[in-house]
Amino acid sequence: MQYKTLVILIKSKQRDGYCIAGRELYLGRREGCLGGWFRLVSSDKFSQGAILQNHLGPELSLNVLDVVLVPVKTMQPELGQPDNLLIDECDSWVIKGKIPDTIVSGFVESPDNLWWQAGVPNHIVPKGKDDEKYISQSLYLVKTEQLKFILSHQFNRFKAKYERKIRVSFQYHGHEYRGLSLRDVKVRRMLSGQYPDAGSADKVITLLKGDNYYLCVSLGTCFGVQKNHYKAVDTVFDFDGYLQANYG
């Protein structure tokens, strides 16, 4: 049986389970101890490969920044997500420790852009431009500028009810990214009391530490009639670990 040791950087809701992703950690090495990204997926078709609680085990409470030993089978890439890794559901996960919040800045990456393509809305990647020629990885931890959260409470005609949403906008390497969904549970909890009244104008929220935040940004599987891939902010870190310590 194969195992990977990962530091968990993303744990967000996905249907009845979780989207869990992180970077490989080579324990016992002084240099080059941090490896590539892996998005852990299961064989569960109903949840579209989500990690369910029974995969973790009834007693395991997994959190962001945990270091965990995961039984795995094989890479299971798909268009737009070359970093998917199929777990082995016959063995248990084991938490080996935890990474301090304050060293997350050492994990920050610097890609030229976040799947930016000219002439395309900046929160999506269209079908046909989602193979490895365009997407070498679908997960990044980056430092951005001008981070804003846009809270709305508008009527959804399809669902016939008012619906609360949070979208994220920011600047990265000279490009503006707008309309990314927020999947970070702790930040959604922190902002839950700040939505506008139903039907009122959207509310723009900025956090107290200005540009001192790091975002885990991901690319989803193809979705909808046009089969676009939608970008999302899965985790928000601050430089001193306050968010994770108080809302995680």
Side-chain angles (χ1 to χ4, degrees):
M1 186 171 290
Q2 301 179 69
Y3 295 88
K4 292 281 188 186
T5 300
L6 304 182
V7 54
I8 302 302
L9 297 172
I10 292 172
K11 182 188 177 187
S12 57
K13 290 293 293 181
Q14 179 180 330
R15 290 183 176 264
D16 294 327
Y18 303 99
C19 171
I20 296 178
R23 293 183 65 180
E24 188 166 13
L25 195 63
Y26 300 105
L27 299 177
R29 299 186 186 182
R30 291 186 177 182
E31 297 180 3
C33 64
L34 198 61
W37 278 94
F38 292 102
R39 178 188 288 102
L40 301 171
V41 297
S42 73
S43 60
D44 188 80
K45 301 299 183 183
F46 178 78
S47 66
Q48 297 181 335
I51 303 299
L52 308 178
Q53 186 60 49
N54 64 283
H55 297 139
L56 301 177
E59 304 299 324
L60 187 71
S61 178
L62 187 70
N63 296 299
V64 168
L65 298 180
D66 282 345
V67 176
V68 60
L69 185 68
V70 184
V72 298
K73 284 188 172 180
T74 184
M75 294 300 297
Q76 191 166 286
E78 58 180 285
L79 289 175
Q81 293 187 339
D83 16 43
N84 289 359
L85 178 62
L86 182 66
I87 64 169
D88 190 327
E89 300 173 27
C90 295
D91 201 0
S92 301
W93 299 30
V94 179
I95 295 176
K96 307 295 286 186
K98 194 175 186 69
I99 294 293
D101 311 66
T102 51
I103 70 168
V104 169
S105 60
F107 297 175
V108 170
E109 303 161 275
S110 299
D112 291 338
N113 60 73
L114 300 172
W115 315 289
W116 179 274
Q117 295 180 9
V120 174
N122 52 49
H123 67 290
I124 68 168
V125 171
K127 182 182 179 182
K129 293 190 175 182
D130 53 5
D131 59 24
E132 290 187 4
K133 176 182 176 182
Y134 297 98
I135 301 170
S136 59
Q137 67 184 72
S138 65
L139 300 149
Y140 287 108
L141 175 60
V142 295
K143 188 175 188 298
T144 64
E145 298 177 337
Q146 300 180 37
L147 175 64
K148 298 181 180 68
F149 299 91
I150 296 90
L151 281 66
S152 64
H153 194 176
Q154 301 299 327
F155 191 75
N156 185 319
R157 293 184 179 180
F158 180 76
K159 296 181 179 179
K161 65 177 183 179
Y162 282 94
E163 190 172 45
R164 295 181 175 94
K165 291 184 178 181
I166 303 178
R167 301 294 178 185
V168 186
S169 73
F170 54 84
Q171 293 274 346
Y172 181 75
H173 284 194
H175 292 301
E176 183 181 29
Y177 295 82
R178 293 183 59 85
L180 280 72
S181 62
L182 176 68
R183 301 178 64 191
D184 187 318
V185 175
K186 69 178 182 300
V187 178
R188 294 185 69 90
R189 185 185 305 121
M190 182 179 70
L191 299 177
S192 62
Q194 301 192 51
Y195 286 98
D197 294 334
S200 298
D202 295 352
K203 184 183 292 187
V204 178
I205 303 292
T206 57
L207 302 184
L208 296 176
K209 295 170 186 172
D211 290 335
N212 289 310
Y213 294 92
Y214 314 109
L215 308 182
C216 281
V217 184
S218 69
L219 197 60
T221 56
C222 57
F223 178 78
V225 176
Q226 296 180 325
K227 302 299 182 183
N228 291 322
H229 299 263
Y230 289 85
K231 303 172 190 178
V233 174
D234 287 271
T235 317
V236 180
F237 295 102
D238 50 6
F239 72 94
D240 59 1
Y242 178 85
L243 284 178
Q244 193 64 31
N246 290 275
Y247 295 97

